[in-house]
Amino acid sequence: MVNIIIREGKAEDAQDFPRLILLSAPTFFPPLFASNAGEVMKNLFQQARNLFSFEHSYFVEVNGERAGMVLGYSWEQKKREEIHTGLLLVRYLKWSLFTRILYLLKAQNMVGRIAENEYYISNIAVYPEFRGLGLGTKLLSIIEREARETGNKRIILDVETSNERAVKLYERLGYIVERGTPSFKINKEAFKFFRMCKFLEHDGNFV
C-alpha cells in the first residue's frame, strides 16, 4: 500500500531542497548561480522571509520518504521579500556575484515577474523514482488551494519551452500558454520560456 502525505516544508528539508530545485531546472540554475548553486539554494531555503524559503514550500512524502516538492508565493509575498532575497544572494554568492550579476538581472527580466492578485509557482520537482504516482498533480492542487484561499485571481509559472512533459502536464490541468520569452543566453547556453497561467474559480465564478 502506498501512503502519500503532503505537508508544509520545514527547515529540516534543506538536504532535499537543493537536489529537487536543481532537478526542476537542471540546465538553468547551475550556470545562473555558479558551481555552488546547491549550497546557495540550501542556505536560502533555511532562512525565513525570502522567496526560496521553506516557508513557501510543500513537500510530498511516499511511505515516509521525501519524494518531491513545490515552491510558490503570492504577489504580496514577493513584494515584501524581494529585497531580502537579493541581500541573501549577495551574502551567499560572495565574490562570484560579480561574475553572475548580469545573468541574474537578465533572468529576472525574463522570468518570475508577477502582478497584483497573482500567485507564482517558482519550482516543482519529483524524484524520478517516484514519478507516475500523480505527485506533481497533487502538489499543484495544494498550490491552487492556497492561491485561491489567499484571494489571488490566477496562478502563473514559467517553464522552459524544451520541457514538453511539464508543458503537457500544465495544459492538462487547465493552464494555457500566455506568451513566450525571447531566447537569452547564460554562458553559451540558450534559454527560452513559456509563461503559462490558470484563472482561479471563486464561488463558482472565474475571476
Side-chain angles (χ1 to χ4, degrees), residues 23 38 73 150:
L23 191 62
Y73 43 82
T150 51

Side-chain angles (χ1 to χ4, degrees), residues 120-182:
Y120 186 69
I121 297 175
S122 176
N123 300 90
I124 181 171
V126 173
Y127 285 128
E129 61 267 32
F130 292 104
R131 289 174 184 166
L133 297 175
L135 303 184
T137 300
K138 293 180 186 298
L139 287 166
L140 288 169
S141 70
I142 290 290
I143 284 290
E144 286 188 22
R145 185 186 72 187
E146 179 174 303
R148 190 178 293 109
E149 288 176 350
T150 51
N152 294 283
K153 293 183 178 180
R154 65 178 196 158
I155 299 177
I156 58 172
L157 58 89
D158 297 298
V159 57
E160 288 186 57
T161 57
S162 59
N163 193 347
E164 296 179 3
R165 178 175 177 169
V167 172
K168 288 179 180 177
L169 170 64
Y170 297 135
E171 288 179 333
R172 181 168 59 81
L173 295 175
Y175 290 78
I176 59 172
V177 175
E178 191 171 64
R179 64 177 183 271
T181 67

Side-chain angles (χ1 to χ4, degrees), residues 49-146:
R49 301 185 306 280
N50 81 87
L51 299 178
F52 294 97
S53 172
F54 66 91
E55 297 173 316
H56 300 306
S57 70
Y58 287 92
F59 278 73
V60 59
E61 294 183 355
V62 176
N63 296 334
E65 291 186 62
R66 295 185 189 96
M69 71 91 198
V70 64
L71 181 75
Y73 43 82
S74 70
W75 68 280
E76 292 174 308
Q77 290 169 321
K78 180 172 183 180
K79 184 178 180 181
R80 192 164 56 239
E81 299 177 5
E82 195 166 27
I83 292 175
H84 189 222
T85 304
L87 293 174
L88 288 175
L89 279 171
V90 171
R91 179 196 299 179
Y92 296 132
L93 284 171
K94 299 178 182 177
W95 291 107
S96 65
L97 176 68
F98 295 103
T99 61
R100 315 246 64 83
I101 189 66
L102 289 178
Y103 299 142
L104 289 166
L105 291 173
K106 187 183 295 185
Q108 184 182 41
N109 196 44
M110 292 291 180
V111 298
R113 288 187 166 192
I114 55 177
E116 188 171 334
N117 296 318
E118 291 181 336
Y119 191 102
Y120 186 69
I121 297 175
S122 176
N123 300 90
I124 181 171
V126 173
Y127 285 128
E129 61 267 32
F130 292 104
R131 289 174 184 166
L133 297 175
L135 303 184
T137 300
K138 293 180 186 298
L139 287 166
L140 288 169
S141 70
I142 290 290
I143 284 290
E144 286 188 22
R145 185 186 72 187
E146 179 174 303

